[in-house]
Amino acid sequence: MSLWQRPLKRLQAMSYDKLLHIYAEHKTNRFRLNSLKSFVSLFLVGTVLSVTLAACSGGTGSNSSTEAPTATPVAATKDNVELTLVSFAVTKAAHEAIIPKFVEQWKKDHNQTVVFKQSYGGSGSQTRAVIDGLEADIVHLALAGDTQKIEKAGLIQPGWEKEVPNNAIVSKSVAALITRPGNPKGIKTWEDLAKDDVKLITADPKTSGIAKWNFLALWNSVIKTGGDEAKATEFVTKVFNNVPILTKDAREATDTFAKQGQGDALINYENEIILAQQKGEKVEYVVPDVNISIDNPIAVVDKNVDKHGNREVAEGFVKFLYTPEAQEEFVKLGFRPANEQVAQTKAATDKFPKVKTLGTVSDFGGWEAIDQKFFADGGVFDKIQAQKKR
């Protein structure tokens, strides 16, 4: 390790607040930059601080941002208030339709202008960013397990699931099977994925949130039709024998299937497919009758809203997301509504095929139990991978 790498490595391990403190001290007259050591120290701190800010703002990589959140959001005032929304990637279009409606309503009711900072990316990476210092006021993530990680980090108070309707589930979807044009392999059910001549593309549940849902959908298809855990293990093992490559995330899985032409089928969120069709893409898919409810929770990040003084508006936005007006926007973009009134509308019933048997995370004991049983090191998924045909 070189002379330059050693101090850089130490600085990279520091927290954002520590880096900012050191940088501020060096910028004052307390430290005169009259030595090489002082210059190098300030240079390295400035470099690492810049990288940290870039990572937190979501300006590059998967943590892309419509408007990059600042490191220290402005505190609420009588006339203006700022909210930082951190969400998983596929909700972007829906939120961009809903936010202007909320801003208009809040201005009318409270005579206060709300400015939103938005960050979108993979649910797992967004979760890590919030834990590492991205000062989200609200998180809308792909699975409750990610929100629970933020809770365990001390940023969200226990009981957040009970503060709003539906155990804080604000948007929903189900798993769908995308096939090749004309569906030459005749793939219509989960059972078809275990056929010897079928190749399935899916991401790795050890690294991808959607892949966890995919795995649960496969396992659930056996349990909900009378099979026991031995039958479920046998079936899922057969399916994963037909997976030529496990991609690191859902985006890479889609590229492998669509752009590289690998596989006969791809598992994806129903809402992603509907959105792709709305954009003019020709996608053939089926929604199996036995399915898993893909539930996306919303939560206020208590520690951050108390720091920023914007709890009232943050809670107001979360409640607004459950209104028919907001839920209808979710439906337009392919999400199944969490509002039962909207679920019964013609727009919703026409758009979404009826699922006869729907499993839920609670059927499996919740995300903590699911992760421990299926996805922890040495869990069911690792054992299935170890039994794959060589």
Side-chain angles (χ1 to χ4, degrees):
M1 186 176 292
S2 73
L3 174 66
W4 292 88
Q5 289 173 319
R6 283 194 294 270
L8 180 58
K9 190 172 184 66
R10 287 196 297 271
L11 288 166
Q12 287 174 327
M14 293 182 184
S15 68
Y16 167 78
D17 288 338
K18 179 67 174 174
L19 286 168
L20 192 61
H21 176 70
I22 294 172
Y23 186 71
E25 284 191 337
H26 277 284
K27 290 281 284 184
T28 67
N29 291 328
R30 280 181 254 171
F31 290 85
R32 294 182 181 179
L33 298 181
N34 56 3
S35 70
L36 177 61
K37 183 178 180 180
S38 294
F39 173 78
V40 170
S41 179
L42 179 56
F43 172 79
L44 291 174
V45 172
T47 300
V48 177
L49 184 58
S50 296
V51 172
T52 304
L53 282 169
C56 287
S57 70
T60 60
S62 62
N63 189 25
S64 61
S65 175
T66 304
E67 184 177 355
T70 57
T72 52
V74 179
T77 67
K78 180 179 179 181
D79 298 322
N80 298 285
V81 62
E82 183 178 286
L83 278 182
T84 297
L85 169 67
V86 173
S87 189
F88 64 110
V90 299
T91 65
K92 182 178 179 181
H95 280 304
E96 288 184 341
I98 294 169
I99 284 172
K101 296 177 183 292
F102 172 76
V103 170
E104 181 181 2
Q105 187 64 49
W106 191 266
K107 179 70 172 179
K108 178 181 177 181
D109 294 343
H110 299 268
N111 196 29
Q112 191 177 44
T113 300
V114 184
V115 177
F116 273 82
K117 305 263 184 203
Q118 302 165 63
S119 176
Y120 300 95
S123 187
S125 63
Q126 295 291 73
T127 299
R128 289 189 295 272
V130 172
I131 292 171
D132 290 342
L134 175 54
E135 294 190 3
D137 298 305
I138 300 164
V139 288
H140 182 190
L141 299 171
L143 56 157
D146 285 342
T147 313
Q148 289 163 359
K149 290 176 183 176
I150 300 175
E151 176 191 335
K152 288 181 179 179
L155 299 175
I156 297 176
Q157 292 298 314
W160 56 271
E161 306 97 321
K162 304 302 180 183
E163 293 177 358
V164 287
N166 303 328
N167 287 320
I169 303 305
V170 74
S171 58
K172 296 182 177 185
S173 194
V174 294
L177 296 173
I178 302 175
T179 65
R180 295 296 174 191
N183 194 6
K185 295 294 180 73
I187 299 168
K188 297 180 179 179
T189 67
W190 299 112
E191 289 78 5
D192 293 330
L193 299 177
K195 294 178 180 177
D196 291 338
D197 65 337
V198 170
K199 296 299 180 186
L200 171 70
I201 301 299
T202 183
D204 187 342
K206 303 281 278 192
T207 59
S208 166
I210 189 173
K212 289 184 179 182
W213 286 115
N214 295 351
F215 183 96
L216 286 179
L218 292 165
W219 188 273
N220 178 75
S221 71
V222 176
I223 300 300
K224 288 295 185 182
T225 52
D228 57 16
E229 293 205 347
K231 289 286 187 183
T233 301
E234 179 185 3
F235 170 69
V236 178
T237 300
K238 286 182 179 179
V239 173
F240 275 90
N241 272 327
N242 291 341
V243 177
I245 181 174
L246 283 172
T247 64
K248 70 177 186 300
D249 56 34
R251 180 177 296 175
E252 187 177 316
T254 300
D255 288 345
T256 299
F257 180 80
K259 296 181 180 179
Q260 299 176 22
Q262 294 192 46
D264 303 299
L266 168 75
I267 310 177
N268 206 341
Y269 293 145
E270 177 189 45
N271 60 279
E272 278 277 76
I273 301 167
I274 292 172
L275 184 59
Q277 290 180 327
Q278 290 174 352
K279 292 180 178 179
E281 298 179 27
K282 295 182 179 180
V283 185
E284 295 186 25
Y285 72 101
V286 293
V287 175
D289 285 339
V290 180
N291 220 302
I292 191 82
S293 182
I294 298 173
D295 298 334
N296 317 130
I298 191 86
V300 170
V301 185
D302 296 289
K303 186 173 182 179
N304 291 339
V305 297
D306 289 341
K307 176 181 178 180
H308 304 152
N310 57 5
R311 176 178 288 277
E312 182 183 10
V313 68
E315 293 179 345
F317 179 66
V318 169
K319 291 177 182 177
F320 185 81
L321 291 177
Y322 286 92
T323 64
E325 185 177 13
Q327 287 288 305
E328 286 165 5
E329 294 298 333
F330 279 119
V331 169
K332 290 177 185 176
L333 276 302
F335 288 95
R336 296 191 175 217
N339 181 299
E340 190 59 34
Q341 176 184 341
V342 175
Q344 301 303 319
T345 63
K346 189 174 187 302
T349 56
D350 286 351
K351 185 182 289 287
F352 305 116
K354 188 174 180 59
V355 174
K356 293 180 180 178
T357 306
L358 194 65
T360 66
V361 166
S362 61
D363 295 339
F364 300 96
W367 276 110
E368 187 172 351
I370 288 169
D371 282 334
Q372 184 63 35
K373 178 177 180 176
F374 293 108
F375 307 123
D377 291 343
V380 172
F381 177 72
D382 281 353
K383 292 176 181 177
I384 285 173
Q385 285 297 97
Q387 296 174 27
K388 285 184 68 171
K389 297 175 183 177
R390 301 297 179 186

